[in-house]
Amino acid sequence: MHKPHKYDIIGLGFCGLDYLCLTPYIPADDKVEALATLIQGGGPAATAIFTAARLGARTAFLGSTGDDERGKSIISGLHNGGVDTRCIAIRPGSESPSAFCWIEKSTGCRSIVWNRGGVRPIEPQEIDVEVIKSAKLLHLDGHQTKAAIHCAQIARDNGVIVAIDAGTIVPGIEKLLEMANIIIASKKFAERFVGESDPEKSAKKLFGASNYFSAVTIGSEGSIGFDGNHVFRQSAFNLEVVDTTGAGDVFHGAFAYKYVNGGDWQACLRFAAAVAALKCTKLGGRTGIPSLSEAEKYLKEHE
């Protein structure tokens, strides 16, 4: 008899603390008064898993952080969002990662300076194999690469779908892309990695032997996906933008949620686009993430 899944989606990757500041404009060698500020957990895989939990998925996050106040905030933010945080490795005496984000009110565009802190990555031997085996989908962001490759292999050996947010070119990313079933890359990553500026051609070039689906996100222009035979296009939803921080991370979490709940590729792209757009209506990478009922209501109103 097949063992029931304990988790719908688990994530492994980067987690940090975001210090966000909404400004009239982003200053250069100048001073400007902040319109609003916010401190909130961030990180690609962490925010994706937070999103999936917000939508109703059973989730867990694997990564590492320090035992400082920043680290405590990172963990409590995920835990309070419904994410199982018991598999996060806590490093005594280490500075936790952070990011400083300036958001321009008139456009919603942002500039980010981040710091990985002094936290040692989670090691393969620290991973509970049963946690990986008990999930439907493993979501990676390319960080914690050594452990990510280890976990991707466990996932593949046990029928767990491997999805990757390809946003940063790091050593070992080629191996992760080879192991992934679902690849969703940012336009910048795709351009640099495959040397192709056209998103459709990039999505096709990213598609490999292990893939079920590859896609490229194009910000306000939407996304393009490929399943080996067909091309899927999804435009972005037009909402008043306050802050685009974390929009891509939220897109990945929503896509994974829809996929493990039986959505086809077009439905997954559309759902993810809507959830990411709704997120952008509030300051912070997580503040505006809608509940499942809110997302479904929005989609129904915009059929």
Side-chain angles (χ1 to χ4, degrees):
M1 182 179 291
H2 180 71
K3 185 178 179 180
H5 295 283
K6 181 178 179 180
Y7 300 105
D8 297 310
I9 304 165
I10 56 175
L12 188 156
F14 184 82
C15 60
L17 196 65
D18 290 349
Y19 297 83
L20 301 116
C21 179
L22 183 68
T23 70
Y25 61 91
I26 297 174
D29 194 24
D30 195 6
K31 294 181 180 180
V32 62
E33 183 178 357
L35 301 174
T37 61
L38 178 68
I39 301 174
Q40 190 173 72
T47 296
I49 295 305
F50 185 96
T51 300
R54 172 72 171 144
L55 293 166
R58 297 166 299 166
T59 64
F61 182 76
L62 291 76
S64 60
T65 189
D67 63 349
D68 54 358
E69 288 303 314
R70 192 181 289 165
K72 292 173 185 176
S73 294
I74 292 167
I75 293 174
S76 65
L78 289 168
H79 176 76
N80 293 338
V83 178
D84 187 337
T85 59
R86 289 174 291 180
C87 293
I88 296 176
I90 300 173
R91 308 301 191 202
S94 296
E95 178 191 2
S96 298
S98 60
F100 299 85
C101 316
W102 291 267
I103 300 97
E104 190 172 64
K105 187 179 189 305
S106 60
T107 63
C109 293
R110 78 281 189 275
S111 294
I112 299 174
V113 177
W114 68 282
N115 168 33
R116 67 177 72 251
V119 177
R120 180 167 51 87
I122 193 168
E123 298 290 339
Q125 61 269 24
E126 295 179 282
I127 304 291
D128 185 342
V129 174
E130 294 303 316
V131 170
I132 308 299
K133 292 164 64 175
S134 69
K136 295 179 182 178
L137 184 145
L138 169 65
H139 177 70
L140 308 170
D141 63 10
H143 296 277
Q144 311 274 356
T145 313
K146 187 177 178 181
I149 292 171
H150 174 73
C151 290
Q153 189 60 61
I154 294 170
R156 285 172 61 90
D157 291 344
N158 290 275
V160 178
I161 298 296
V162 178
I164 184 167
D165 167 2
T168 305
I169 296 178
V170 296
I173 193 67
E174 296 90 349
K175 180 65 174 176
L176 285 176
L177 293 174
E178 288 174 7
M179 301 175 81
N181 304 119
I182 298 171
I183 298 172
I184 302 179
S186 67
K187 187 174 185 289
K188 285 184 178 180
F189 176 96
E191 287 179 352
R192 293 168 182 167
F193 189 79
V194 304
E196 178 58 67
S197 61
D198 180 83
E200 181 179 331
K201 292 179 180 177
S202 292
K204 289 179 177 179
K205 283 190 175 182
L206 285 169
F207 192 88
S210 296
N211 294 154
Y212 302 157
F213 187 72
S214 60
V216 175
T217 56
I218 327 167
S220 60
E221 295 179 45
S223 57
I224 294 179
F226 181 63
D227 70 351
N229 294 302
H230 302 98
V231 173
F232 301 85
R233 301 177 187 277
Q234 177 61 53
S235 59
F237 288 91
N238 187 20
L239 285 167
E240 184 177 351
V241 173
V242 173
D243 179 14
T244 59
T245 303
D249 310 333
V250 170
F251 183 98
H252 286 275
F255 187 100
Y257 174 85
K258 190 67 174 177
Y259 177 77
V260 299
N261 283 281
D264 60 33
W265 300 126
Q266 192 68 59
C268 289
L269 287 175
R270 185 169 183 267
F271 182 77
V275 174
L278 289 164
K279 180 238 80 72
C280 291
T281 61
K282 294 182 180 178
L283 178 64
R286 300 177 181 175
T287 313
I289 299 171
S291 65
L292 178 61
S293 61
E294 290 169 336
E296 289 179 336
K297 181 176 182 288
Y298 179 82
L299 283 168
K300 188 174 182 179
E301 291 172 349
H302 294 81
E303 287 180 348

